[in-house]
Amino acid sequence: SLGRKHVRGFAIIAHVFAPHIWKLCAMRTFSDKTRKLIIASITAPIAIVPALFIQLVIHDVVNSLFNLGQSIYYSMLAAIPGWVVAQVLTLVFGLPLVIFLQRSNKFRLVYLLPISAIPALLFFSISGFGLTITLMYIYFSVCVAYTFWFTYWRVSNGT
């Protein structure tokens, strides 16, 4: 299972892109809070790429099929539609959720991570897929939510 240190690695990768997006938002059209939300909303779904790679490598190692080149290929192939889905869910579900948590003074990981699993649980209840698929979607949701939170607070601190 992935611990906090592994998930933080995903957030650091997305955080690398934040300064470049910050420059795009440098005009004083938006408030600082809005700019931080824009940056986090754009960069957080990038966490899907390393999350997929690690998931595929673990799958290959468990099934004794480990081939690094093939894992990279399949993770990049799956990352494109995964990123699109993560981006849409972040904008449609995640951003309003974060705004609600901020207004209620509850924008903390303790609240954000469990709530971020709701789209995966809804997908599971509607589609009828197995528990393994649902856990995989929860894993991706938590990675994106943690990256959103990490990027938002890193941009806040100016690092």
Side-chain angles (χ1 to χ4, degrees), residues 1-13 47 50-51 54 109 113 139 142-147 150:
S1 114
L2 291 176
R4 192 173 191 175
K5 290 180 183 178
H6 292 95
V7 176
R8 187 169 189 216
F10 305 147
I12 290 171
I13 290 171
I54 288 175
L109 279 178
L113 295 183
Y139 161 69
V142 167
C143 288
V144 171
Y146 181 81
T147 305
F150 183 84

Side-chain angles (χ1 to χ4, degrees), residues 14 36-48 81-100 107 112 115-116 119-120 140-149 151-152:
K36 291 185 284 189
L37 287 173
I38 291 170
I39 291 168
S41 296
I42 292 171
T43 59
I46 295 170
I48 290 295
W83 175 79
V84 171
V85 169
Q87 191 68 55
V88 168
L89 283 175
T90 300
L91 294 175
V92 171
F93 179 77
L95 197 56
L97 170 72
V98 167
I99 292 170
F100 171 75
F107 186 50
L112 183 64
I115 294 174
S116 70
F140 294 139
S141 296
V142 167
C143 288
V144 171
Y146 181 81
T147 305
F148 189 103
W149 179 85
T151 304
Y152 182 88

Side-chain angles (χ1 to χ4, degrees), residues 93-123:
F93 179 77
L95 197 56
L97 170 72
V98 167
I99 292 170
F100 171 75
L101 290 174
Q102 285 178 337
R103 288 189 179 164
S104 61
N105 246 359
K106 303 284 185 195
F107 186 50
R108 295 181 198 92
L109 279 178
V110 168
Y111 301 107
L112 183 64
L113 295 183
I115 294 174
S116 70
I118 290 175
L121 294 172
L122 288 174
F123 178 74

